[in-house]
Every structure is written in structure tokens, then in C-alpha cells.
Amino acid sequence: MSHPARPPLILGSSSPYRRELLTRLRIPFDVAVPDIDETPLAGESPEATALRLSRRKAEAIAARHPDALVIGSDQVCTLDGAQLGKPGTHERALAQLQHMRGRTVTFHSALCLLDARTGAAQLADVQTLVTFRDLPDAELEAYLRLETPYDVAGSAKVEGLGIALLARVESDDPTALIGLPLIALIDMLRQAGFPLIGSVA
């Protein structure tokens, strides 16, 4: 149940990582899973892909919940201008990690807060630079077998053992790499007049 002063807040995501992050703000929210095509468009930049998909996810949920504030988020991992998606399999994950070792990868974590009542949307793209350690295949294989990170872009869960693969993380928003930039989201919620700290739950 939402406090009367608040519109319902809905996280449009199937990600357990985003759900856990949003829980940290101690505000009531529901979760709904958007059903959209996440294929990048031809010639689309990584930033544009992430922003478009974050908005499309929010719009898909807002269409079913016209009184809500809806959060959409999407993450795109890039190296040498090419997008690296969710690997899906052990073999693809190993190939990703081999390609990234010793190099710096850019993660675009896009965020959309859509007010379904008015159609007003706030958008942000938070970039994180991640430098991977130059590790041998045996360590990469061992990591993949221990954590099976086949559902995350870039094949490394920074919130888990994946931190052992990283030499450096540079970002203005420490939760962006996990998938939901909370500093940017708090800015958006405040702009939307959504009560945060000190409000009655």
C-alpha cells in the first residue's frame, strides 16, 4: 500500500539486483516486468540504446498503471564501440572476459522515471568505466563456474565475486554498475515531488 501523499511507485524490471537496490531507499514500491524487444537498432549508439530501452520499459508498465510513477532502467556494456550484451552461455561469457581482460570497458546505465499521470519523463545516462585485471583463462573459467553470471552484461557481477576481476571502477554513482543509479534516481524522485527521507511509510 502506498502512503496517500505518494503515487504508486513501480519498478519496471525483472532484475533481482535492481529490486534489491531500490529496497535500500526504504520506500514502498511494486515490481512489474516489461515485455519489450531489447534489440539495438541499426546504427544506434550504446548510450542511445540504453536510454531508449529504459524509456520503453517505463512506457510499457505505465500503459498498464496510469496513476503511477514508473522506473525503467537498462544497461549497455561497450568496448571498442561494440555493445557487449548478456552472454547467456558459459562459452560466450568466457569469450567476453577474455576480450575485456586488461582493458577498460564503459557501462552505460540508463534510467527513466515516467509519471504515467502526465507523461512527463526524466532521463539520465550514468557512465561507469571499469578496468579489468589481466587474468589467465584458468581464473576466468573458475570464476564463471562459481558465479555463472550469464544474465548480466559484461559477465561480471561487481556485487559478488566479480569484484575480483576488476582493477578499477570509476563512476559518479556507485550503484550504477549494479544496474540502478540510485543517486540519479533520488534526484528524479525529488524533482517529481515523491517523498523520501523522513516521510511516513
Side-chain angles (χ1 to χ4, degrees):
M1 295 292 293
S2 296
H3 185 267
R6 300 176 167 125
L9 182 66
I10 301 175
L11 174 63
S13 177
S14 61
S15 167
Y17 316 114
R18 292 189 179 116
R19 181 188 303 212
E20 188 279 327
L21 286 172
L22 188 54
T23 300
R24 296 183 190 182
L25 298 187
R26 301 187 183 191
I27 52 179
F29 69 94
D30 294 313
V31 176
V33 179
D35 182 16
I36 66 164
D37 181 356
E38 298 191 31
T39 306
L41 300 178
E44 190 174 43
S45 71
E47 177 181 0
T49 297
L51 286 168
R52 177 177 60 82
L53 293 179
S54 69
R55 182 163 189 154
R56 285 284 297 113
K57 289 176 182 179
E59 289 172 343
I61 301 304
R64 307 198 305 258
H65 300 274
D67 62 338
L69 281 176
V70 183
I71 301 165
S73 190
D74 191 76
Q75 188 175 74
V76 174
C77 170
T78 64
L79 180 60
D80 296 334
Q83 296 190 25
L84 304 176
K86 298 173 184 177
T89 67
H90 180 90
E91 292 73 25
R92 289 197 199 104
L94 180 60
Q96 278 191 355
L97 293 178
Q98 289 171 330
H99 185 50
M100 295 185 297
R101 63 181 160 199
R103 306 185 69 192
T104 298
V105 178
T106 302
F107 285 80
H108 293 270
S109 301
L111 183 66
C112 176
L113 182 67
L114 177 63
D115 190 334
R117 301 167 299 178
T118 64
Q122 299 180 61
L123 291 160
D125 171 46
V126 179
Q127 295 185 35
T128 304
L129 299 180
V130 178
T131 302
F132 282 76
R133 297 180 187 275
D134 189 0
L135 299 176
D137 286 353
E139 288 194 43
L140 300 181
E141 287 270 14
Y143 165 71
L144 291 174
R145 289 197 165 81
L146 286 167
E147 195 150 71
T148 61
Y150 307 137
D151 62 340
V152 293
S155 305
K157 293 182 182 178
V158 69
E159 68 275 22
L161 182 59
I163 196 72
L165 306 184
L166 310 183
R168 184 178 179 87
V169 176
E170 303 169 74
S171 180
D172 292 331
D173 201 326
T175 59
L177 186 56
I178 304 174
L180 189 67
L182 289 182
I183 291 175
L185 178 60
I186 289 166
D187 287 343
M188 291 179 178
L189 289 170
R190 289 188 179 280
Q191 183 68 30
F194 191 91
L196 289 163
I197 299 171
S199 57
V200 178

